Amino acid sequence: MTFSGFPDEGLVFYEGLEADNSRTYWAQHRHLWEQHVRAPMQALADELAPEFGTAKLFRPYRDVRFSHDKTPYKTHQGAVLHRDGRGTGSVYVQVSADGLRVSGGCWRLQPDQVERYRRAVDDAVQGAQLARVVSQLREEGFAIEGDQLVRTPRGYPADHPRIELLRHRSLHASQQWTPEDWLHTRTALDRVRDSWRRFGALNQWLADNVGASTAPPDRRR
């Protein structure tokens, strides 16, 4: 299947799911999700694969085991590609009733990764490089996000020139586009491809300076 855009029927499907997130609605409209959401997202991933690698499409079911929200279905379809399986340097795309979203970077770092990340940010050369990458992404319209400490990390001065970056425990850039006519065309592919390319410098920095975790997950961090 050649990607030709995300049909409006897919966005309408998600509008309905937001209003009625039930198994009954899902059973009655699943064919719309398969045809107008899942299929074009897979086609998009397939066309991007020669340049970026194989992206994983997320399942539509929510994990409600530890959530107060027990609605069974996600109201968006996402696809993610992890750089070399490292757990850092990922790219992501998502479609929903709100439009198209792209992201790149890291969403979750383990304690040993956070330690390496902060050492690199503190370094005059590597830290300055990341600051330039982040500044460039902001100038290009991307929001810089991620889990952050409210206070200054232990062992670093409050007046550190890169204190904002030091507070991060994860770091990613994102951009959201509201639904417009181009979303239903191959222009959507161009926007995702261009954004993923722009995340390259951030992801390369994370790969070079953070890398994979050598410690088990710590949910208390």
Side-chain angles (χ1 to χ4, degrees):
M1 177 180 177
T2 300
F3 179 77
S4 58
F6 289 103
D8 188 56
E9 291 89 341
L11 277 62
V12 172
F13 162 80
Y14 275 127
E15 289 177 349
L17 186 61
E18 289 177 358
D20 181 12
N21 198 313
S22 68
R23 290 177 174 82
T24 299
Y25 177 91
W26 179 262
Q28 293 175 346
H29 299 87
R30 179 177 181 137
H31 66 285
L32 297 176
W33 170 77
E34 291 175 341
Q35 180 178 354
H36 301 301
V37 177
R38 183 81 176 186
M41 181 62 83
Q42 185 64 64
L44 175 70
D46 290 345
E47 291 209 38
L48 292 169
E51 179 174 350
F52 299 98
T54 302
K56 171 189 175 184
L57 272 63
F58 287 100
R59 290 160 53 88
Y61 313 106
R62 295 183 62 251
D63 184 352
V64 301
R65 292 174 298 171
F66 308 107
S67 174
H68 293 295
D69 180 2
K70 299 301 182 182
T71 52
Y73 303 104
K74 298 173 184 175
T75 54
H76 61 267
Q77 175 65 59
V80 67
L81 192 157
H82 298 295
R83 176 191 173 100
D84 302 329
R86 293 173 185 239
T88 62
S90 303
V91 288
Y92 176 77
V93 58
Q94 171 183 299
V95 67
S96 69
D98 295 328
L100 186 70
R101 181 178 181 83
V102 290
S103 300
C106 63
W107 282 261
R108 181 178 300 169
L109 293 177
Q110 300 304 324
D112 62 313
Q113 294 175 301
V114 173
E115 182 179 351
R116 291 194 297 274
Y117 165 81
R118 289 186 177 141
R119 284 203 306 265
V121 172
D122 184 44
D123 180 81
V125 175
Q126 298 303 325
Q129 181 186 4
L130 178 61
R132 288 192 296 271
V133 169
V134 167
S135 177
Q136 181 66 35
L137 285 168
R138 282 188 170 130
E139 290 177 6
E140 293 173 351
F142 294 96
I144 304 300
E145 303 167 325
D147 184 27
Q148 288 181 271
L149 293 174
V150 176
R151 298 179 180 178
T152 303
R154 184 180 304 173
Y156 297 96
D159 61 350
H160 193 286
R162 292 177 293 279
I163 188 61
E164 179 187 356
L165 289 172
L166 280 171
R167 289 196 180 108
H168 275 266
R169 295 186 294 191
S170 63
L171 182 68
H172 48 90
S174 301
Q175 188 163 125
Q176 173 81 35
W177 293 285
T178 55
E180 296 182 19
D181 289 344
W182 61 261
L183 184 59
H184 313 313
T185 72
R186 285 183 63 81
T187 298
L189 169 66
D190 296 333
R191 294 209 178 188
V192 176
R193 180 191 288 120
D194 181 64
S195 297
W196 282 14
R197 287 172 177 169
R198 292 174 188 271
F199 298 142
L202 174 61
N203 286 341
Q204 187 62 55
W205 189 95
L206 291 167
D208 292 341
N209 293 282
V210 179
S213 176
T214 58
D218 184 353
R219 299 184 179 275
R220 298 171 297 174
R221 180 170 46 88

